[in-house]
Amino acid sequence: MTHFARFTALALLALFLSATAVQAVITKLTPLAEVLESDQFIFVAKVDKLDPDNKDRPTATFKFDKKLKGEVPFDRIPVNMTGDDEAKKAGDTKTIFDRLDDTRELVFFVRKQGKIYNAKVFVEGSWFSIYGTLDADGKTVRWAFLHGEPFLRRTFKGTSSEMVKTIEDALAKKAKLPEPDEKEKPGFGPAVAKAPKKCEDGSVRSPALFAVIPSFVLVGPLAIIAALFPGVFARMAVGMKRWRAFLVVASINSTLALIYFALSTYRPYWIPDGWGLAPKSVAIYFTAISVIGLLWAGRRYRRMASEAPDVTGVPERTELLALLGLTAFAAICTVLTAVFADWNSTVAVPMREFTFIGVALCTATVYAGYRTLTQSADGTTPTVRLSLSGESVGLNTLALCGLATVLLMGARGGAGPVATGIQAGDAESDFAPRLVGEPVAIAAFEIEDGKQEKVFGRIMSNLALDGDRLCFGVQIATNGRLLAMNRHTGKVEWAVDAVGEPLKPVFCTPTIANGKVYCGEGMHIDRGCRLYCVNAADGNSAWEKPFKTKDGHTEGTPAVANGKVYFPAGDDGLICADANTGVQVWQYTGTKKDDVHIDAPPVVVGDTVFAGSGLFNYVAVALDANTGKEKWRTDLKLRVFGPPLASGSKVFYGIGTGNMGADTYRYDEESEDREKEPAGAVCCLDVATGKEEWRYPLPKSVHTGLAADAFSVYAGCRDGNVYAIDRKTGKLRWRAGVGSAMMSAPAVAAVGGFPVAVYAVSREGRVFCFHPQTGDVLWWRGTLPGYDWRGDEDNNIMCSPLVVTTPTATGSKRTIYIGAMTVDPNNPKRRHVAVFKFEDVIGE
């Protein structure tokens, strides 16, 4: 589950949190604290020289003036102000030049990634982005203007002097940084041409003295009701006058849960190491607060009963109505969270505490109803009734929910579930692979200033093998990298952070062919993404410029054959380009009536390209590899997001509803809700005609690719199972569960052409080795060393196992590589790139 989905549900609850997809221009609501934390260098500069009239190369040169954070390695910053495509379209170069002169201060926020410097610049209410590339001499940085950042006015829109004062106070811990104002309209600050107004003291300020609005108020859900519906809350307060302890505990727990979620998601480095603020520890604190509230409520109730015996009577009508209203409100919010995110989000921070509050209110409501229905049993005497207070019932339920959470979190740290639902066979263990030694985490590292530094981020792609080198894609915050890492030592031999412009997150698995590496960038939400080609030896660009799509994203693995590279481009369909130059040869977009959206990697066999469409029309197509003309088209009825598998005279497709992150999904591009229930299947088509020969239906989708041997086709399904299907008949051989939703494809290993093992990894980090004929578990490993899932959707293992088989004197050895990350157990957002290595053997 993406943070975007979780935040969407939370916004409907709290009405003040939101998340947006990250495009080329930053549209995400970005706190100034996040900028201050993530950037290594913050400093003040002034304009040294402006040359806006140079049509070929407009330039602006800035000179360093004052350090705010970090040892700044720049004295002068000459910037090519031409801008990227977005800047040219919006006229950003002129917009920024209009706001520059030698009287204005500029505040630079700079982050270094490898040889790339990414910078955001603030000047009198305006923001823009530039980036720099370090030359081979290691000293010269070449700077270029990207585009304006109109949405960053929500982060800060004041004057430059106010920005400097805000940063200095924050770094000195004299004041907290202001929160962003999500209501601020995007735009830019005043141009130089506008005459400034003078204050009474003679100082000059911008015409509209922009101020930072601290709009983020820490409140619990009950306070939100009070703010939005004061009349309703007033009546509720009267009805719940005996519920002071519960209301206090509910507000404290929900507010602290919201703070913890925001910190762990956007400011993970603020959370110190150790168990003190680990998720389980936080759950213990919430439980302790509930227990303290329970003791407080019991003491208050006894004291009130001694002073006013009527308090032990049947709940009043106003109290019962208030309980019913609050319970209904909690139920609606829980359902909305499940609809816009998923049910797992309702029991994850921050919604977990609110769900528990709803359960407690529901229990108290049932108790109040019971008291009301059985009030005749109270009689008229004694005056003091023998009863529990509804508040105590609610707080006791809240404490029990917290205790159950703590116990479940403790149980999750164990080995976890093993494979389930296996139809057992008679595997002979003497001839089956067995795990030797312990798995090893190979951390990716770079050498920075003579020091060994781990690479921050997570592996999103599969691994591509190039001798002793592994190539893969990485996501680092909103950017991406392509890494080439030594598979034995973990040393990064080269890295690509930018090709002309900084890379977007790299989900695409690189393809290595003829000494070159072909790879795309971006996710489904991105547009105008690029396919780029670099030399496998050093990572330098092999093409004059990357291939840039018009509206598409290049997240699917490219295929190289016949001197051409074939790659998916979303709404742009399937594109074929010259493998040596990157010049387009042909493009396939379907027809006007039959549009396609191709994200799945294509497969090339001889003179035929096989591909599939995941939006608009859910079809499998076979295209002429030289011309792009259709040979055949087959309607598969379900989305195709995984690569086809061509083997012999058959081509197999994994299909289903939703996507890799959801069982069902409504795509804005389709402008209609086309999925009601989850479904999936594996289909077998004839290579020559496209005729469907068999279909094995599955309860959920298969979007992660397939594996096959001479007997079976293996599929990883979102229901958490690996399926082995007879490739001739389409009947089930065996099924084995590995955990929850499968986010990666299985891999099969063979010796002498005979399959000996099937490997699969769950998104939680459990690795399994199955017997290919029976599905028996030959070996399995509980959790990858140094990896900690904790139910965090951004920590899912998405990399399929890569198997390298080596003959030995008495049998064979397999080395299994799985790309993922090591995770700080106390802060799941603090991740470092790592490849996990397993070895098993047959024979001595």
Side-chain angles (χ1 to χ4, degrees):
M1 169 57 50
T2 61
H3 290 302
F4 176 78
R6 187 177 296 173
F7 253 135
T8 302
L10 189 57
L12 292 172
L13 164 65
L15 301 181
F16 61 87
L17 291 177
S18 64
T20 57
V22 178
Q23 306 290 337
V25 172
I26 299 173
T27 58
K28 170 189 170 187
L29 188 64
T30 306
L32 187 59
E34 181 177 324
V35 179
L36 197 67
E37 172 67 21
S38 63
D39 295 337
Q40 296 105 313
F41 313 113
I42 304 176
F43 58 94
V44 179
K46 291 185 176 181
V47 173
D48 183 36
K49 184 180 178 181
L50 298 175
D51 185 12
D53 298 324
N54 189 326
K55 295 182 179 180
D56 296 327
R57 190 183 177 89
T59 58
T61 303
F62 308 102
K63 57 183 177 181
F64 173 85
D65 184 56
K66 181 171 64 173
K67 177 185 77 171
L68 298 178
K69 176 187 175 184
E71 295 300 324
V72 182
F74 320 110
D75 291 324
R76 294 175 74 257
I77 303 177
V79 182
N80 178 350
M81 296 293 291
T82 303
D84 59 13
D85 291 344
E86 293 184 37
K88 294 174 182 176
K89 186 184 301 182
D92 285 349
T93 297
K94 183 179 185 304
T95 299
I96 299 304
F97 268 122
D98 288 345
R99 285 152 178 80
L100 299 176
D101 75 352
D102 56 5
T103 65
R104 290 188 164 187
E105 290 184 328
L106 298 92
V107 183
F108 281 70
F109 301 83
V110 183
R111 180 172 76 251
K112 184 175 184 288
Q113 294 178 307
K115 296 183 179 181
I116 300 297
Y117 292 87
N118 289 293
K120 295 174 286 292
V121 186
F122 176 86
V123 53
E124 300 297 336
S126 299
W127 290 83
F128 60 96
S129 289
I130 64 175
Y131 78 100
T133 305
L134 188 64
D135 276 357
D137 60 8
K139 299 178 180 179
T140 305
V141 180
R142 300 186 183 278
W143 294 90
F145 170 62
L146 284 175
H147 43 248
E149 299 287 2
F151 288 89
L152 287 183
R153 276 179 63 80
R154 301 182 299 181
T155 298
F156 194 97
K157 66 171 185 177
T159 65
S160 295
S161 59
E162 288 169 348
M163 171 70 90
V164 173
K165 181 68 165 57
T166 299
I167 294 172
E168 289 177 337
D169 289 348
L171 292 175
K173 298 183 178 179
K174 294 181 180 179
K176 293 184 178 179
L177 290 167
E179 292 294 333
D181 181 8
E182 60 183 345
K183 297 181 180 179
E184 177 62 29
K185 294 181 179 179
F188 299 91
V192 175
K194 294 182 179 180
K197 296 180 179 180
K198 289 189 176 182
C199 302
E200 293 180 358
D201 60 0
S203 62
V204 177
R205 298 191 181 185
S206 58
L209 189 58
F210 298 108
V212 178
I213 302 175
S215 61
F216 186 80
V217 182
L218 298 176
V219 291
L222 298 178
I224 295 172
I225 301 175
L228 296 174
F229 311 105
V232 174
F233 186 79
R235 291 190 292 273
M236 184 185 73
V238 172
M240 300 191 71
K241 58 187 178 182
R242 293 180 289 187
W243 285 69
R244 181 187 303 170
F246 184 90
L247 296 179
V248 169
V249 169
S251 290
I252 289 175
N253 280 5
S254 58
T255 300
L256 292 179
L258 186 63
I259 295 172
Y260 184 74
F261 171 74
L263 285 176
S264 61
T265 302
Y266 295 106
R267 313 296 325 136
Y269 291 106
W270 285 10
I271 299 178
D273 293 333
W275 60 268
L277 287 178
K280 184 176 180 179
S281 300
V282 171
I284 292 174
Y285 302 151
F286 291 157
T287 305
I289 292 171
S290 300
V291 171
I292 293 171
L294 175 62
L295 297 175
W296 176 26
R299 191 172 184 274
R300 285 181 63 250
Y301 185 65
R302 290 167 58 192
R303 185 173 64 249
M304 287 190 296
S306 66
E307 297 174 354
D310 288 346
V311 77
T312 64
V314 176
E316 298 177 358
R317 182 173 180 273
T318 53
E319 179 178 345
L320 187 58
L321 290 176
L323 280 171
L324 286 170
L326 282 176
T327 302
F329 176 74
I332 291 171
C333 292
T334 300
V335 171
L336 288 175
T337 301
V339 169
F340 287 93
D342 58 21
W343 284 105
N344 289 333
S345 297
T346 64
V347 289
V349 174
M351 281 303 302
R352 181 182 69 203
E353 300 310 314
F354 191 77
T355 299
F356 289 171
I357 292 169
V359 172
L361 287 169
C362 182
T363 305
T365 302
V366 171
Y367 175 69
Y370 165 77
R371 289 288 314 277
T372 301
L373 292 174
T374 60
Q375 58 182 312
S376 60
D378 287 347
T380 57
T381 57
T383 305
V384 178
R385 271 73 170 176
L386 179 62
S387 66
L388 292 172
S389 69
E391 182 182 48
S392 295
V393 171
L395 284 169
N396 186 63
T397 303
L398 205 58
L400 289 175
C401 288
L403 180 61
T405 300
V406 173
L407 294 175
L408 287 173
M409 294 177 80
R412 246 193 329 259
V418 297
T420 59
I422 298 173
Q423 299 176 5
D426 300 318
E428 299 181 17
S429 58
D430 291 343
F431 301 97
R434 64 184 186 279
L435 186 65
V436 293
E438 288 295 316
V440 177
I442 307 173
F445 70 89
E446 297 175 293
I447 305 297
E448 291 283 346
D449 299 325
K451 297 180 180 179
Q452 182 173 310
E453 298 287 345
K454 289 184 178 180
V455 177
F456 184 79
R458 63 169 180 153
I459 297 177
M460 296 190 69
S461 74
N462 290 335
L463 305 175
L465 181 65
D466 183 26
D468 287 334
R469 184 188 296 131
L470 296 174
C471 293
F472 49 84
V474 174
Q475 180 187 25
I476 305 175
T478 59
N479 296 116
R481 301 184 81 185
L482 174 64
L483 295 184
M485 186 194 85
N486 186 289
R487 65 187 174 106
H488 305 296
T489 66
K491 181 181 179 181
V492 175
E493 298 184 0
W494 53 259
V496 178
D497 302 277
V499 181
E501 298 174 10
L503 296 185
K504 296 173 183 177
V506 181
F507 175 82
C508 175
T509 300
T511 296
I512 304 171
N514 303 319
K516 296 182 177 66
V517 180
Y518 302 84
C519 193
E521 64 177 350
M523 308 286 284
H524 187 87
I525 58 175
D526 295 309
R527 293 292 181 269
C529 295
R530 302 165 299 161
L531 181 82
Y532 49 93
C533 176
V534 299
N535 293 319
D538 54 20
N540 292 329
S541 294
W543 288 350
E544 183 178 348
K545 61 180 180 179
F547 188 106
K548 186 170 184 178
T549 64
K550 181 181 179 182
D551 296 310
H553 34 261
T554 53
E555 58 184 336
T557 307
V560 178
N562 310 314
K564 302 178 181 67
V565 55
Y566 307 85
F567 61 96
D571 284 347
D572 287 0
L574 186 71
I575 297 174
C576 171
D578 186 283
N580 294 316
T581 64
V583 175
Q584 180 173 314
V585 178
W586 53 258
Q587 180 179 7
Y588 170 78
T589 58
T591 66
K592 291 183 179 180
K593 293 183 178 180
D594 300 315
D595 288 340
V596 295
H597 179 102
I598 300 179
D599 289 331
V603 171
V604 182
V605 179
D607 62 352
T608 304
V609 183
F610 300 97
S613 172
L615 270 68
F616 311 131
N617 290 280
Y618 309 152
V619 296
V621 295
L623 309 175
D624 186 288
N626 296 312
T627 65
K629 293 182 178 180
E630 274 191 20
K631 292 186 174 183
W632 52 254
R633 166 187 287 230
T634 301
D635 187 0
L636 296 179
K637 311 299 183 184
L638 293 171
R639 303 185 189 278
V640 185
F641 284 137
L645 190 156
S647 179
S649 62
K650 316 295 182 189
V651 58
F652 304 93
Y653 283 83
I655 57 177
T657 56
N659 51 40
M660 286 185 66
D663 293 333
T664 60
Y665 195 81
R666 183 187 187 279
Y667 286 88
D668 293 336
E669 298 98 316
E670 293 181 326
S671 67
E672 61 177 323
D673 191 353
R674 303 176 68 173
E675 299 175 345
K676 303 300 182 183
E677 298 291 337
V682 174
C683 296
C684 173
L685 309 183
D686 181 81
V687 164
T689 65
K691 180 182 178 182
E692 185 173 310
E693 298 194 351
W694 56 256
R695 171 182 294 234
Y696 185 82
L698 295 169
K700 294 184 179 181
S701 61
V702 178
H703 291 321
T704 58
L706 305 168
D709 56 31
F711 309 100
S712 305
V713 176
Y714 305 95
C717 181
R718 271 193 60 81
D719 70 347
N721 288 284
V722 176
Y723 290 84
I725 304 167
D726 187 286
R727 60 181 294 151
K728 292 182 179 180
T729 65
K731 295 181 179 180
L732 179 69
R733 286 185 179 275
W734 53 262
R735 170 186 59 84
V738 299
S740 59
M742 290 285 290
M743 303 291 285
S744 60
V748 61
V751 175
F754 189 82
V756 295
V758 176
Y759 302 93
V761 57
S762 72
R763 66 174 179 172
E764 300 90 349
R766 303 184 187 99
V767 182
F768 294 83
C769 176
F770 299 108
H771 193 292
Q773 276 76 49
T774 65
D776 285 347
V777 177
L778 302 178
W779 59 259
W780 75 287
R781 181 59 163 78
T783 305
L784 299 173
Y787 172 75
D788 193 1
W789 186 57
R790 297 283 175 137
D792 191 323
E793 295 295 335
D794 278 351
N795 281 358
N796 290 330
I797 303 286
M798 305 176 72
C799 180
S800 302
L802 171 67
V803 184
V804 180
T805 301
T806 307
T808 64
T810 58
S812 61
K813 179 182 75 172
R814 275 145 303 285
T815 304
I816 304 97
Y817 297 96
I818 298 170
M821 70 219 83
T822 55
V823 181
D824 186 330
N826 300 311
N827 184 354
K829 307 301 179 185
R830 184 180 295 174
R831 303 172 293 221
H832 289 96
V833 173
V835 173
F836 296 90
K837 175 182 176 182
F838 295 76
E839 288 188 348
D840 67 17
V841 298
I842 295 176
E844 296 180 2

